[in-house]
Amino acid sequence: MRLSLLLLVLISSSSFAKQAIVESPNKKIKITISDQSSAPHYSISFNNKNVIENSSLGFEFKQQAAFDEGFTITNITTNQVQSKWQQPWGERQTVVDHHNEVAVTFSKSSPHGGTYTVRFRAFDSGVGFRYEVPKQEGFEDIEITKELTEFAITAADKATAWWIPARGWNRYEYVYNTTPLQDAALAHTPFTFKNADGVHVSIHEAALVDYAAMVLNQRRPGTLQADLTPWSDGIAVKKQGAFTTPWRTVQIGEKAIDLINSDIILNLNEPNKLGDVSWVKPGKYVGIWWGMHINETTWGSGEKHGATTQNTKYYMDFAAQYGFDGVLVEGWNLGWDGDWFFNGDVFSFTQPYDDFDIAELTRYGQQKGVQLIGHHETSGNVTNYRNQMEDAYALYEKSNVSQIKTGYVADGGNIKRIDENGIVRKEWHDGQFMVNEYLHSIKLAAKHKLSINTHEPIKDTGLRRTYPNWIAREGARGQEFNAWGTPPNPPEHIPMLAFTRMLAGPMDFTPGIFDMGFNGLGADTNRPQTTLAKQLALYVVMYSPIQMAADLPRNYLAKPDAFQFIQDVPTDWQQSIALAGEVGDYVVFARKERKRDNYSGNDWYLGAVTDEHARTIDIKLDFLEPGKVFEAQIYKDGDKAEWKNTPYDIKIEQRIVTAKDTLSLKLATSGGTAIRFKAI
Ligand code: NOJ
Ligand code: CA
């Protein structure tokens, strides 16, 4: 450890307060931790200006005295890390972890005292800190009623925030708000804002394990308090003996895209605990899915049943012909008839409908080189799911399935569990109980070499590093809202998600709707509010190691030229760079494919999307390797394209380019550009 790089001071002032300071490796970010007035607190500055003012730390408990006032700094340790690690799949293969750390211990003498440590890490792109509460007398059974962590935003009256409400019935599936920060009510994280100096900040958490999710409550104007989603009995978190909390994270950047080009969430998670994960497979899939959302087919049995053996074979043929790895089949199992939305008790996860022959489809898929992708909708009855989980995963493993999409459709606060005494309890999707339940499914699935794509999930906090079979999740409004949502996703939705939800991790958004006219075009119908070129750009912009081609096969066959991009684009990357963008306005990404399967590892891709405003963005191609020549295969909005009435106007052209070129991307209203740079 080179202490010279770690600016750490202990100063005694007149009030005998102690202070610890830690700076980021590039010295732009500085965290100050103090016990002034015997109340532990911290502040954060960026480029010598405060971003977070003095903010409280601590806890309140049901049984024990609070960890609030009267605590002073009794120990300080420091550390410095400069290392690299490899992702089995991801936005980039190699992740750099470079940070300075200070761990500050606060203590108060007994009786009614205690001790705890707060570990702070300063990275160039932000800050992480967590509580570590050691084993101590009187703290055998702990019920946390409140975490006292605050984020007091500097000059909050001049900041703009982008956020969705927390503790709502629709979980994370809300249209994002753009408001003065002071108008943000109880909000989910990632909570992104821009302060008076134009500095972009996003508050979130990393490694949420055996704890309640943190949402932010603006109790006083400008001061966001950590608010832990409680159990049905009102307790926030239940622990025994020593415990650590998830990392509270504050990403900080001069520009909006700096938030995206940061790996602190992953770096604050623990390394892979699963060992060899070569069985976790990124890839592309189609599925018996969109037809149900636009009412062409049904999940339940009957004439319009989507999940038939015959229909699945048709999808498997299509997948094999056009290079998809898997076919998702929803509605294959007993329980969908009747009001499945409100009755998860009746789902069987092992018994198929009569017209779905799982053994035959396993055989057929193996012959075609296409895998069945499993589906388990619980409708929020997690006890019913838990009781069948082992058998259900074993059945899928036997059926050559390597990926399952799970679903927890239920109103927020309405997850049904049956407790040890047989009493029905209702929990939140983001309380400690469900945090553990989701992870239980991941760990059990790993034993069967299955990857999980969770819908209606707990938010992502980077656990894919530790459990790489947690391959994707929903956790925001996906494409499905364009089929039936009120309203459908607005044109700014994607450039909004890029700087908010997507900071947390991959999303199974399900891009690629080619027929937007299922209810007619125009501005007032349910449909994707985008151009066709923007649907293609989603494959590069919305990172996920698994990407669906969500539309019906016939709609791809009707537009073969545009469909070519979906066939070409990979889902695993050697490198990813957010090149330009503003929150909710536009965003441009470049990504280089990672060598695997049919991908040589030489091509680059670009995706650009805009909100309701048409715009032209000049992009320097200096991310390409100098001296190398590429054929740019460009899929862009045509001259007459605008999302409302002429979304299909697309222009596909080829150009020879090198790193010295600049491309002028002309995006229509809610338009986009998708480019493959083919190395030649
Ligand atoms: C909601 C999921 O997001 C969607 O993809 C799925 O089709 C339905 N639940 C039914 O499971
Ligand atoms: Ca959903």
Coordinates of all heavy atoms in Angstrom, one line a residue, residues 518-554:
F518 N -50.1 -2.7 -35.3 CA -51.1 -3.7 -34.8 C -52.3 -3.1 -34.3 O -53.4 -3.7 -34.3 CB -50.5 -4.7 -33.8 CG -49.7 -4.1 -32.7 CD1 -50.3 -3.8 -31.5 CD2 -48.3 -3.9 -32.9 CE1 -49.5 -3.2 -30.5 CE2 -47.6 -3.3 -31.8 CZ -48.2 -3.0 -30.7
N519 N -52.2 -1.8 -33.9 CA -53.4 -1.0 -33.5 C -53.6 0.2 -34.4 O -54.3 1.1 -34.1 CB -53.3 -0.5 -32.1 CG -53.4 -1.6 -31.1 OD1 -54.2 -2.5 -31.2 ND2 -52.6 -1.6 -30.0
G520 N -52.8 0.2 -35.5 CA -52.8 1.4 -36.4 C -51.6 2.2 -35.9 O -51.1 2.1 -34.8
L521 N -51.2 3.1 -36.8 CA -50.0 4.0 -36.5 C -50.6 5.3 -35.9 O -51.7 5.3 -35.4 CB -49.2 4.3 -37.7 CG -48.4 3.1 -38.3 CD1 -47.6 3.5 -39.5 CD2 -47.4 2.6 -37.2
G522 N -49.8 6.4 -35.8 CA -50.3 7.6 -35.2 C -49.7 7.7 -33.8 O -49.0 6.9 -33.3
A523 N -50.1 8.8 -33.2 CA -49.6 9.2 -31.9 C -50.4 8.6 -30.7 O -49.9 8.5 -29.6 CB -49.4 10.7 -31.7
D524 N -51.6 8.2 -31.0 CA -52.5 7.9 -29.9 C -52.9 6.4 -29.7 O -53.8 6.1 -28.9 CB -53.8 8.7 -30.0 CG -53.5 10.2 -30.1 OD1 -52.6 10.7 -29.4 OD2 -54.2 10.8 -31.0
T525 N -52.1 5.6 -30.3 CA -52.4 4.1 -30.2 C -51.4 3.5 -29.3 O -50.3 4.0 -29.1 CB -52.5 3.5 -31.5 OG1 -51.3 3.6 -32.2 CG2 -53.6 4.0 -32.4
N526 N -51.7 2.2 -28.9 CA -50.6 1.4 -28.3 C -49.8 0.8 -29.3 O -50.2 0.1 -30.2 CB -51.3 0.3 -27.4 CG -51.3 0.7 -26.0 OD1 -52.4 0.9 -25.5 ND2 -50.2 0.8 -25.3
R527 N -48.5 1.2 -29.3 CA -47.5 0.7 -30.3 C -46.2 1.2 -29.8 O -46.1 2.1 -28.9 CB -47.8 1.4 -31.7 CG -48.0 2.9 -31.6 CD -47.8 3.6 -32.9 NE -46.4 3.7 -33.3 CZ -45.9 4.6 -34.1 NH1 -46.7 5.5 -34.7 NH2 -44.6 4.6 -34.4
P528 N -45.1 0.7 -30.3 CA -43.8 1.3 -30.0 C -43.7 2.8 -30.6 O -44.0 3.0 -31.7 CB -42.7 0.4 -30.7 CG -43.5 -0.8 -31.0 CD -44.9 -0.5 -31.2
Q529 N -43.4 3.7 -29.7 CA -43.4 5.1 -30.2 C -41.9 5.4 -30.7 O -41.2 6.2 -30.1 CB -43.8 6.0 -29.1 CG -45.2 5.8 -28.6 CD -45.8 6.9 -27.8 OE1 -45.1 7.7 -27.2 NE2 -47.1 7.0 -27.8
T530 N -41.5 4.7 -31.7 CA -40.2 4.8 -32.3 C -40.2 4.6 -33.8 O -41.2 4.1 -34.3 CB -39.3 3.6 -31.7 OG1 -39.7 2.4 -32.4 CG2 -39.3 3.5 -30.2
T531 N -39.1 4.8 -34.4 CA -38.9 4.4 -35.8 C -38.4 3.0 -35.8 O -37.9 2.5 -34.8 CB -37.9 5.3 -36.6 OG1 -36.6 5.1 -36.0 CG2 -38.4 6.8 -36.5
L532 N -38.4 2.4 -37.0 CA -37.8 1.0 -37.2 C -36.3 1.0 -36.9 O -35.8 0.1 -36.2 CB -38.1 0.6 -38.6 CG -37.6 -0.8 -39.0 CD1 -38.2 -1.9 -38.1 CD2 -37.9 -1.1 -40.5
A533 N -35.6 2.1 -37.4 CA -34.2 2.1 -37.2 C -33.9 2.2 -35.7 O -32.9 1.6 -35.2 CB -33.6 3.3 -37.9
K534 N -34.7 2.9 -34.9 CA -34.5 2.9 -33.4 C -34.7 1.5 -32.8 O -33.9 1.2 -31.9 CB -35.5 3.9 -32.8 CG -35.2 4.2 -31.3 CD -36.1 5.3 -30.8 CE -35.9 5.5 -29.3 NZ -36.8 6.7 -28.8
Q535 N -35.6 0.7 -33.3 CA -35.8 -0.6 -32.8 C -34.5 -1.4 -33.0 O -34.1 -2.2 -32.1 CB -36.9 -1.4 -33.5 CG -38.3 -0.9 -33.0 CD -38.6 -1.2 -31.6 OE1 -38.3 -2.3 -31.1 NE2 -39.3 -0.3 -30.8
L536 N -33.8 -1.2 -34.1 CA -32.5 -1.9 -34.4 C -31.4 -1.4 -33.4 O -30.6 -2.1 -32.9 CB -32.1 -1.7 -35.8 CG -33.0 -2.3 -36.9 CD1 -32.4 -2.0 -38.3 CD2 -33.2 -3.8 -36.7
A537 N -31.4 0.0 -33.2 CA -30.4 0.6 -32.4 C -30.5 0.0 -30.9 O -29.5 0.0 -30.2 CB -30.5 2.1 -32.4
L538 N -31.7 -0.4 -30.5 CA -31.9 -0.9 -29.1 C -30.9 -2.1 -28.8 O -30.5 -2.3 -27.7 CB -33.3 -1.4 -28.9 CG -34.4 -0.3 -29.0 CD1 -35.8 -0.9 -28.7 CD2 -34.1 0.8 -28.1
Y539 N -30.6 -2.9 -29.9 CA -29.7 -4.0 -29.6 C -28.3 -3.6 -29.2 O -27.6 -4.4 -28.6 CB -29.7 -4.9 -30.9 CG -31.0 -5.7 -31.1 CD1 -32.0 -5.1 -31.8 CD2 -31.2 -6.9 -30.5 CE1 -33.2 -5.7 -32.0 CE2 -32.4 -7.6 -30.7 CZ -33.4 -7.0 -31.5 OH -34.6 -7.7 -31.6
V540 N -27.9 -2.4 -29.5 CA -26.6 -1.9 -29.1 C -26.7 -1.1 -27.8 O -25.9 -1.1 -26.9 CB -25.9 -1.2 -30.2 CG1 -24.5 -0.7 -29.8 CG2 -25.8 -2.0 -31.5
V541 N -27.8 -0.3 -27.8 CA -28.0 0.7 -26.7 C -28.4 0.0 -25.4 O -27.8 0.3 -24.3 CB -29.0 1.7 -27.0 CG1 -29.4 2.6 -25.8 CG2 -28.5 2.6 -28.2
M542 N -29.3 -0.9 -25.4 CA -29.9 -1.6 -24.2 C -29.1 -2.8 -23.9 O -29.5 -3.9 -24.3 CB -31.4 -1.9 -24.4 CG -32.2 -0.6 -24.6 SD -32.3 0.3 -23.1 CE -33.5 -0.7 -22.2
Y543 N -28.0 -2.7 -23.1 CA -27.2 -3.9 -22.9 C -27.9 -5.0 -22.2 O -28.5 -4.8 -21.2 CB -25.9 -3.5 -22.1 CG -25.2 -4.8 -21.7 CD1 -24.6 -5.5 -22.8 CD2 -25.2 -5.2 -20.4 CE1 -24.0 -6.8 -22.5 CE2 -24.6 -6.5 -20.1 CZ -24.0 -7.2 -21.2 OH -23.5 -8.4 -20.9
S544 N -27.8 -6.2 -22.8 CA -28.1 -7.5 -22.1 C -27.4 -8.6 -22.8 O -27.3 -8.6 -24.0 CB -29.6 -7.7 -22.2 OG -29.9 -9.0 -21.7
P545 N -26.9 -9.6 -22.1 CA -26.2 -10.7 -22.7 C -27.2 -11.6 -23.4 O -26.7 -12.5 -24.2 CB -25.5 -11.4 -21.6 CG -26.4 -11.1 -20.4 CD -26.9 -9.7 -20.6
I546 N -28.5 -11.5 -23.1 CA -29.5 -12.2 -23.9 C -30.4 -11.1 -24.5 O -30.8 -10.2 -23.9 CB -30.3 -13.2 -23.0 CG1 -30.9 -12.5 -21.8 CG2 -29.4 -14.4 -22.6 CD1 -32.0 -13.3 -21.1
Q547 N -30.6 -11.2 -25.8 CA -31.5 -10.3 -26.5 C -32.6 -11.1 -27.2 O -32.3 -12.0 -27.9 CB -30.7 -9.4 -27.5 CG -29.7 -8.5 -26.9 CD -30.4 -7.2 -26.3 OE1 -31.6 -7.1 -26.1 NE2 -29.6 -6.2 -26.1
M548 N -33.8 -10.6 -27.1 CA -34.9 -11.2 -27.8 C -35.1 -10.5 -29.1 O -34.9 -9.3 -29.2 CB -36.2 -11.1 -27.0 CG -37.3 -11.9 -27.6 SD -38.8 -11.9 -26.5 CE -39.6 -13.3 -27.1
A549 N -35.5 -11.2 -30.2 CA -36.1 -10.6 -31.3 C -37.6 -10.8 -31.0 O -38.1 -11.9 -31.2 CB -35.7 -11.3 -32.6
A550 N -38.2 -9.8 -30.5 CA -39.5 -10.0 -29.8 C -40.7 -10.1 -30.8 O -41.7 -10.7 -30.4 CB -39.8 -8.8 -28.9
D551 N -40.6 -9.7 -32.0 CA -41.8 -9.7 -32.9 C -42.1 -11.1 -33.4 O -41.3 -12.0 -33.2 CB -41.6 -8.7 -34.0 CG -42.9 -8.1 -34.5 OD1 -44.0 -8.7 -34.3 OD2 -42.9 -7.0 -35.1
L552 N -43.2 -11.2 -34.2 CA -43.6 -12.5 -34.8 C -42.7 -12.7 -36.0 O -42.3 -11.8 -36.7 CB -45.0 -12.4 -35.2 CG -46.0 -11.9 -34.1 CD1 -47.4 -11.6 -34.7 CD2 -46.1 -12.9 -33.0
P553 N -42.3 -14.0 -36.2 CA -41.5 -14.3 -37.4 C -42.0 -13.7 -38.7 O -41.2 -13.1 -39.4 CB -41.5 -15.8 -37.4 CG -41.8 -16.2 -36.0 CD -42.6 -15.2 -35.4
R554 N -43.3 -13.7 -38.9 CA -43.7 -13.1 -40.2 C -43.4 -11.7 -40.4 O -43.2 -11.2 -41.5 CB -45.2 -13.3 -40.4 CG -46.1 -12.6 -39.4 CD -47.6 -12.5 -39.8 NE -48.3 -11.6 -39.0 CZ -49.1 -11.9 -38.0 NH1 -49.2 -13.2 -37.6 NH2 -49.7 -11.0 -37.3

